[in-house]
Amino acid sequence: IGQGPWQQIDGIAPHPNEPAAGTPPRAMPLVRQSLRMGGGGALVLPHHFTAESDPYLDDHIINGKRVLPAAGAAEWMAQVAVEGWPGWQLAEVRDLRVLAGVVLENDKGREVSIRARASTHSGSGEQMISVDIVEAGRKAPLYRASVRLVERLDETPPPVPEAIQGEPLDAAAVYRDVLFHTGRFRLMTTIDAFGETGVDAVVRSSTPQDWTGVEGQWLLDPGLIDVAAQLAFTWVRKARATSALPARFGRLVRYGKAPLPATLKVRFRLRPPSHELAVAFDAYF
């Protein structure tokens, strides 16, 4: 409805996009301005990606250019959906596709819009949100995904795979010799086992403060999601002597709302790919 005297009535919360002065840090640390209404009923967040606004991009450089990782796009999309539909809980990001990506060609950065629209095909107790990241002035999306919001979050995760038998690897050497990731993306502390069916490792969680300087809590932790892609890159490089970058995340599933512990184990397990040039996997943190 907008601003008005009804915001002052006892028991009525202010508009979720207009926090009062002196309130705690925003619940969604990446959403630094109010969403606006766009065409077709979409909620829109404009954002200008630069090295200054998004310093974590300095640690994700491919061919000399800063690139927003798919894991980062997932967190942006999830936060916009939760900001736009307050009271709902993030359960999943589904079918996230990297169509072109956000690549910073120069210091001017790149202007985008993150657009979220409610689906008409939601089930009982859930809300499906279609989210695109689109370059300003263009229609073709750079990333596209569906976000599943629920009234009550499932806090019972599936069973974790058993540990595998394999050779240990030096995580520092892998970052030095195999991966291009630096700084904030270097979250693997040990690689306990590397085998034909997958990898077991120990990782550190990341925080919005480390990545952006803004206080808050991640919904998905893009650092951890990127670790899964790093493990795929490492496995392909060592097993096939080639490279693989993420093109699609089928499901990113969240269990519980509590902050993640500082250290976690990850079980990376290969699964049958759709074609011989692809690598498919599940990762359990």
Side-chain angles (χ1 to χ4, degrees), residues 18-272:
E18 298 295 341
T23 56
R26 297 183 68 90
M28 300 297 110
L30 294 179
V31 183
R32 303 164 197 171
Q33 56 183 301
S34 297
L35 306 184
R36 60 179 176 81
M37 186 63 70
L43 291 176
V44 179
L45 176 72
H47 182 68
H48 189 193
F49 281 100
T50 66
E52 290 72 27
S53 66
D54 298 89
Y56 55 91
L57 296 180
D58 283 335
D59 297 326
H60 196 266
I61 295 178
I62 302 176
N63 296 328
K65 299 175 182 178
R66 300 178 180 91
V67 178
L68 176 67
E75 182 70 20
W76 274 99
M77 297 164 116
Q79 289 198 21
V80 168
V82 172
E83 181 77 5
W85 282 263
W88 293 83
Q89 305 293 328
L90 173 72
E92 297 180 51
V93 174
R94 292 181 177 176
D95 198 24
L96 189 155
R97 296 179 180 271
V98 181
L99 302 174
V102 171
V103 180
L104 305 192
E105 301 286 348
N106 50 51
D107 293 338
K108 293 181 179 179
R110 200 162 182 186
E111 193 83 31
V112 305
S113 292
I114 305 171
R115 301 176 180 176
R117 180 183 293 105
S119 171
T120 58
H121 302 291
S122 300
S124 176
E126 69 174 18
Q127 182 73 256
M128 295 301 300
I129 311 296
S130 299
V131 188
D132 292 342
I133 299 180
V134 183
E135 187 171 11
R138 299 191 178 185
K139 294 183 178 180
L142 306 172
Y143 305 84
R144 170 167 285 171
S146 295
V147 176
R148 179 173 173 258
L149 306 178
V150 296
E151 295 177 345
R152 185 183 299 275
L153 192 62
D154 183 4
E155 299 194 12
T156 306
V160 176
E162 297 291 334
I164 63 170
Q165 299 296 319
E167 62 171 323
L169 299 178
D170 183 342
V174 168
Y175 277 119
R176 183 187 67 239
D177 302 331
V178 178
L179 296 168
F180 58 86
H181 307 74
T182 59
R184 301 167 184 86
F185 288 84
R186 292 192 169 187
L187 298 175
M188 289 188 289
T189 57
T190 62
I191 300 176
D192 301 324
F194 182 97
E196 294 183 359
T197 60
V199 186
D200 290 346
V202 177
V203 297
R204 293 182 292 108
S205 57
S206 69
T207 66
Q209 294 92 324
D210 291 340
W211 279 42
T212 67
V214 178
E215 294 185 4
Q217 180 180 324
W218 295 129
L219 292 173
L220 294 169
D221 193 336
L224 292 183
I225 297 171
D226 196 79
V227 163
Q230 294 174 28
L231 287 169
F233 190 102
T234 302
W235 191 91
V236 171
R237 180 60 62 88
K238 292 183 67 65
R240 300 182 183 176
T242 184
S243 301
L245 293 173
R248 175 177 175 265
F249 288 133
R251 297 175 69 207
L252 302 172
V253 187
R254 176 179 181 238
Y255 297 95
K257 299 180 292 183
L260 294 174
T263 302
L264 303 94
K265 295 180 179 179
V266 57
R267 300 281 190 257
F268 172 93
R269 297 293 180 266
L270 294 163
R271 58 188 301 177

